[in-house]
Amino acid sequence: MAGKDFSDLGRVEALKALYEGTPFEAFGQNSFEASGREYISYASKVMLEGIDFDLVYFPLKHLGYKSVVGATGELYAQMAHPAALSVRLGVSAKLDFAQVRELWEGMVAAAKEHGYRQVDLDLAPSRNGLCISVSAIGETTLLTAKRRPAPKSKDLLCVSGALGAAFLGMQALERERRRFDAGEADHAEREKALSQYRMLVAAYLKPELGAGTVGQLEAAEIVPSAGYFVTRGLADAVKRLSRDTGLGAKVYADKIPFEGNSFQLGKEIGIDPFSAAMNGGDDFRLLFAVPILSLEKFRREFQTFDIIGHLAQPEAGTVLVTPDGVELPLRSPGWPDED
């Protein structure tokens, strides 16, 4: 297949070729049996070149992986096990078949890692750059659905990892791209400048999400009262939680987890890491409200999570509590109608 292009293969043969070597079947059925898992969840994600990613520095395999993780995280927030995935790619003329295969390989790697049983793919031409659309379907066990408690004041707010890292990593990449375009740094200098922020850059290019999180929660008999996937900043997720539950929420600034070097990079580029965490976006973290009676078990079983606050009575509002006790109202630029 080396050297072939879309004009040589045609759409059907290109799709067949992309499926070769994967555990999934081209042109399979778009339905599946629930097998006793009575609740079906769905999620979708669209990524557009020039808005959500820049192919100048975004490896295609990482991009494919990230697009699948972006939809999968929404399922995990709903306590759903991934089952079926549908992918639509709008491909521009500047991408050849080998590059699309690389993108697809990243998607397959993520689909296998997160346990999808079916993966559907279709291709279409695009005049406006690469467009990625991913739709995911998951199943929630009847037992888990029945055990889910109603959210209550004092339920703990728990997040699955460092916040603000992805936004800061993207800013580091953008800074080095501008320097390179202006002739201020060659490739070697750019790589050296980025190497000290490797973890931040990785958080943006290839976010990791624990594939066994839902199963581990079920095994520990811990069912969150609410769950959200943090992709537009922590403030947005907390305000959505408050809106959906009718409760207030308090987040403690000194409990927010940060990746190493976040403050060093923030100082260099003039961005407050707290601002990046609250409103930066692209962190791909899970935010769960966990009943306070499960505190000790949750701390013991889920040490990768950080407890950053709790739900409160409605009159408390949604606030960020500073180390000296000052309560600052949360604002979410991505959801101005909620402020």
Side-chain angles (χ1 to χ4, degrees):
M1 203 62 66
K4 292 284 188 179
D5 211 337
F6 285 107
S7 58
D8 303 313
L9 294 168
R11 172 179 165 274
V12 172
E13 291 304 316
L15 287 167
K16 287 182 178 178
L18 288 170
Y19 270 92
E20 290 177 2
T22 79
F24 308 112
E25 179 184 354
F27 310 112
Q29 294 183 355
N30 291 327
S31 61
F32 62 92
E33 185 177 348
S35 302
R37 298 179 186 270
E38 304 249 343
Y39 290 85
I40 307 300
S41 301
Y42 63 90
S44 61
K45 185 172 184 62
V46 174
M47 300 179 71
L48 304 174
E49 183 178 354
I51 296 177
D52 299 294
F53 58 88
D54 189 335
L55 291 180
V56 170
Y57 53 71
F58 215 126
L60 285 165
K61 191 169 184 177
H62 287 358
L63 180 59
Y65 182 95
K66 181 176 181 177
S67 66
V68 171
V69 171
T72 305
E74 298 287 355
L75 297 182
Y76 287 162
Q78 301 174 64
M79 289 292 288
H81 296 267
L85 191 71
S86 183
V87 177
R88 298 294 180 267
L89 299 179
V91 182
S92 67
K94 68 180 180 181
L95 291 181
D96 59 25
F97 181 76
Q99 290 172 310
V100 174
R101 181 189 288 278
E102 187 178 349
L103 178 73
W104 173 241
E105 287 173 351
M107 292 178 162
V108 168
K112 291 168 64 177
E113 179 180 323
H114 291 281
Y116 284 96
R117 301 197 302 273
Q118 290 182 207
V119 178
D120 173 53
L121 170 68
D122 202 358
L123 306 170
S126 170
R127 292 184 178 180
N128 299 310
L130 177 62
C131 174
I132 303 170
S133 175
V134 178
S135 297
I137 296 174
E139 306 162 328
T140 301
T141 65
L142 183 60
L143 180 60
T144 296
K146 286 183 175 180
R147 283 180 171 175
R148 193 152 207 170
K152 296 179 180 178
S153 176
K154 298 193 182 303
D155 281 1
L156 304 171
L157 298 181
C158 308
V159 70
S160 64
L163 296 167
F167 183 77
L168 291 169
M170 181 191 70
Q171 295 301 318
L173 288 165
E174 285 289 333
R175 180 182 65 173
E176 296 310 314
R177 181 183 64 82
R178 290 192 296 268
R179 290 180 62 209
F180 183 77
D181 290 345
E184 298 174 2
D186 59 21
H187 180 74
E189 291 173 321
R190 183 177 58 177
E191 290 298 312
K192 182 179 179 180
L194 290 173
S195 63
Q196 63 182 315
Y197 302 120
R198 187 176 295 107
M199 297 300 291
L200 299 176
V201 171
Y204 173 66
L205 295 180
K206 190 175 181 289
E208 301 290 341
L209 193 63
T213 300
V214 173
Q216 291 167 6
L217 285 166
E218 290 176 336
E221 297 185 346
I222 298 174
V223 182
S225 58
Y228 292 84
F229 193 40
V230 182
T231 59
R232 297 184 179 91
L234 179 62
D236 165 65
V238 172
K239 287 182 72 66
R240 281 190 289 150
L241 189 159
S242 177
R243 177 197 65 196
D244 294 344
T245 63
L247 295 168
K250 293 188 177 185
V251 175
Y252 294 86
D254 57 356
K255 300 297 184 182
I256 296 175
F258 291 96
E259 194 65 75
N261 289 337
S262 289
F263 287 88
Q264 178 180 329
L265 178 59
K267 185 176 180 180
E268 288 181 15
I269 62 180
I271 294 177
D272 182 2
F274 281 98
S275 178
M278 300 309 292
N279 299 307
D282 253 13
D283 274 320
F284 284 28
R285 300 301 188 192
L286 292 167
L287 174 70
F288 286 127
V290 176
I292 195 167
L293 292 178
S294 300
L295 171 60
E296 294 305 319
K297 183 186 291 187
F298 187 84
R299 277 180 169 168
R300 184 175 62 252
E301 300 289 337
F302 296 90
Q303 297 182 17
T304 59
F305 278 74
D306 288 273
I307 300 172
I308 61 171
H310 60 82
L311 292 178
Q313 295 298 326
E315 55 269 22
T318 53
V319 297
L320 177 68
V321 184
T322 67
D324 55 3
V326 177
E327 296 186 355
L328 305 174
L330 288 183
R331 296 187 62 82
S332 175
W335 295 79
D337 58 316
E338 294 181 21
D339 292 331

